[in-house]
């Protein structure tokens, strides 16, 4: 009898744990829509907040986790770009006492908040960085910037929508 009770409790626990879908997210089932206001920009890099917001919207749509609405979503995903920097990453020597930069790394930092508007509950709040490395001799900083934006959006989604 005890074994049957333990087995029943185990089965109920397992089935209860499977109530959320396994589509890369454990979001509550009542969250169907999200609004993504334009990120604000505290960096000195123009247009970076616009581009990150557009990439974020594009990735949310392609992930099929939530439907984007203009306002009053079941959830809100907002943020602020806090910094943008491009700094030397790898070096080489071409001559005695001469060092060349081969690669640079673009780093974009953002403060992000993901809020459940239905229950007025903060699901995620934190700082996220995205990085993009580019070859200084064959690529532009724009290439590194695009890579950093994509990496930032990926990390935002992992920490908020997909990681919840």
């Amino acid at each position: 009898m005890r074994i049957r009770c333990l087995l029943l409790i185990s089965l109920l626990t397992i089935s209860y744990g499977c109530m959320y879908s396994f589509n890369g997210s454990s979001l509550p089932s009542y969250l169907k829509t999200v609004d993504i206001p334009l990120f604000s920009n505290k960096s000195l890099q123009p247009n970076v907040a616009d581009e990150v917001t557009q990439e974020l919207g594009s990735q949310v749509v392609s992930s099929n986790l939530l439907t984007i609405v203009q306002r009053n979503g079941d959830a809100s995903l907002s943020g602020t770009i806090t910094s943008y920097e491009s700094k030397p990453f790898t070096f080489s020597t071409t001559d005695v006492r001469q060092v060349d930069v081969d690669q640079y790394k673009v780093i974009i930092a953002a403060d992000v908040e993901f809020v459940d508007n239905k229950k007025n509950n903060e699901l995620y709040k934190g700082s996220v960085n995205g990085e993009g490395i580019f070859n200084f001799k064959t690529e532009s900083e724009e290439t590194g910037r695009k890579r950093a934006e994509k990496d930032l959006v990926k990390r935002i989604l992992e920490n908020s929508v997909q990681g919840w």
Side-chain angles (χ1 to χ4, degrees), residues 77-135:
L77 183 56
S78 60
T80 300
I81 303 299
T82 56
S83 69
Y84 175 100
E85 66 179 310
S86 180
K87 60 184 186 179
F89 184 63
T90 62
F91 304 88
S92 64
T93 56
T94 55
D95 221 345
V96 177
R97 295 186 182 171
Q98 184 172 342
V99 177
D100 289 334
V101 177
D102 290 331
Q103 293 179 317
Y104 278 81
K105 182 193 310 189
V106 173
I107 303 167
I108 303 172
D111 289 337
V112 179
E113 186 174 30
F114 184 51
V115 177
D116 175 343
N117 294 328
K118 292 263 187 183
K119 294 192 176 182
N120 198 25
N121 185 26
E122 187 177 88
L123 299 175
Y124 173 79
K125 184 175 185 174
S127 296
V128 183
N129 290 339
E131 300 177 350
I133 298 169
F134 67 98
N135 185 320

Side-chain angles (χ1 to χ4, degrees), residues 4-61:
R4 285 185 187 169
C5 284
L6 288 174
L7 187 58
L8 181 61
I9 290 171
S10 296
L11 288 173
L12 287 173
T13 303
I14 291 169
S15 64
Y16 178 75
C18 295
M19 290 180 74
Y20 293 112
S21 66
F22 290 100
N23 60 358
S25 174
S26 58
L27 286 172
S29 60
Y30 60 86
L31 293 181
K32 304 283 187 210
T33 62
V34 63
D35 59 84
I36 305 173
L38 180 63
F39 275 39
S40 59
N41 189 1
K42 290 187 177 177
S43 79
L44 298 177
Q45 187 68 28
N47 301 323
V48 69
D50 299 345
E51 292 169 4
V52 167
T53 306
Q54 288 173 2
E55 180 67 23
L56 187 56
S58 177
Q59 291 301 317
V60 167
V61 167

